[in-house]
Amino acid sequence: MIWAVIPAAGRGQRFGGPTPKQYLHAAGKPLIEHALNALLAHPRVAGAMVALSPGDALWPGWSRLQDKPVLRCVGGGERADSVLAALRALPDEVGDEALVLVHDAARPNLRRGDIDLLIAAAETCADGAILGAPLRDTLKRAADGRIAATEPRDGLWRAFTPQAFRRGALTTALDAAAQAGVIVTDEASAMERMGAKPHLVEGREDNLKVTTPADLALAEYLLGKA
Ligand SMILES: Nc1ccn([C@@H]2O[C@H](COP(=O)(O)OP(=O)(O)OP(=O)(O)O)[C@@H](O)[C@H]2O)c(=O)n1
Ligand SMILES: C[C@](O)(CO)[C@H](O)COP(=O)(O)O
């Protein structure tokens, strides 16, 4: 049994504007609906737990999508807090060894083939797996708007989501990071702190996270073509 965990309690400060970006529309639907549909359409995914901000008045009230359960909980101050809250809120039938796919509500252009690759990798490895892609640009370190240095990029990847881990191990890892006062920006970082070496699965470069208005325009184009 595989469940999706969707952190959707962010405020979209880098995007700006009054509407949290997960509720902005692209190709006629909110970003969060594209993300949920992509995961719940997969035959191995049984349901989704969505972490919402306490004051979220825009949640459309879905209890089912793609004929699968959509549950919700209250997220936290950081993305990692929201993911931990969602893991803890999952139904008891989702055991510690069950695989969970953690995916940003702000990544609407997730495709079936990437989910297939991720599940295949995560099911063969106790350390889990994440989607990502190798860096293909030269990296510059900035200082006061000027190039301060060129950073080596060999072996560097960009981490995407979904990130796939066993419910129990990820809950323990995120809780350990929180207890240590360490803010992790993805699930793999928490697992790495515990000594795990998750698989890197090369995924589509168009699995973008909508962070700024320019990203939304690109998402509109990509989803309109899908
Ligand atoms: N406390 C938080 C912060 C973020 N998220 C979610 O984590 C995903 C990725 O985070 P990000 O792109 O940073 O979203 P925001 O935090 O909303 O953006 P910003 O940092 O610009 O405010 C988003 O789906 C966001 O809703 C969350 O569930 N809980
Ligand atoms: C989880 C993530 O999307 C992987 O790249 C990223 O770390 C989220 O970062 P954000 O600053 O919370 O958007």
Side-chain angles (χ1 to χ4, degrees), residues 20-42:
K21 61 186 181 183
Q22 57 269 30
Y23 292 115
L24 296 176
H25 282 222
K29 289 179 181 169
L31 301 183
I32 188 171
E33 186 171 356
H34 288 289
L36 279 166
N37 281 337
L39 285 158
L40 292 170
H42 195 285

Side-chain angles (χ1 to χ4, degrees), residues 177-212:
Q179 296 297 325
V182 173
I183 297 177
V184 291
T185 58
D186 73 341
E187 288 62 61
S189 300
M191 294 296 292
E192 293 160 47
R193 290 188 74 251
M194 308 296 279
K197 295 188 181 305
H199 275 272
L200 280 165
V201 177
E202 185 164 356
R204 294 171 60 111
E205 293 264 5
D206 60 7
N207 176 13
L208 82 162
K209 179 165 67 74
V210 174
T211 306
T212 67

Side-chain angles (χ1 to χ4, degrees), residues 51-72:
L52 300 174
S53 66
D56 187 323
L58 297 174
W59 171 249
W62 300 304
S63 58
R64 296 185 73 81
L65 283 174
Q66 305 287 322
D67 197 25
K68 293 177 184 172
V70 176
L71 310 180
R72 57 195 165 96

Side-chain angles (χ1 to χ4, degrees), residues 10 20 22 33 35 44 49 57 61-62 65 81 90-91 109 131 141 146 152 155 165 175 181 184 195 199 210 222-223:
Q22 57 269 30
E33 186 171 356
R44 295 287 311 278
M49 174 63 72
W62 300 304
L65 283 174
D81 300 321
L90 285 169
N109 196 41
L131 287 174
R141 181 167 299 280
R146 309 287 291 272
F165 298 102
D175 183 58
V184 291
H199 275 272
V210 174
L222 291 167
L223 291 161

Side-chain angles (χ1 to χ4, degrees), residues 7 14 21 78-80 102-104 106-107 130-131 158-161 163 184-187 189 209-211:
R14 286 170 287 179
K21 61 186 181 183
E78 300 292 339
R79 182 184 176 282
V102 184
H103 184 57
D104 297 327
R107 290 185 188 264
I130 74 168
L131 287 174
R158 295 156 60 213
F160 302 152
T161 68
Q163 302 197 1
V184 291
T185 58
D186 73 341
E187 288 62 61
S189 300
K209 179 165 67 74
V210 174
T211 306

Side-chain angles (χ1 to χ4, degrees), residues 136-162:
R136 296 188 169 91
D137 302 300
T138 295
L139 275 183
K140 301 296 184 184
R141 181 167 299 280
D144 303 323
R146 309 287 291 272
I147 296 174
T150 295
E151 297 293 343
R153 70 178 181 188
D154 292 348
L156 293 185
W157 281 48
R158 295 156 60 213
F160 302 152
T161 68

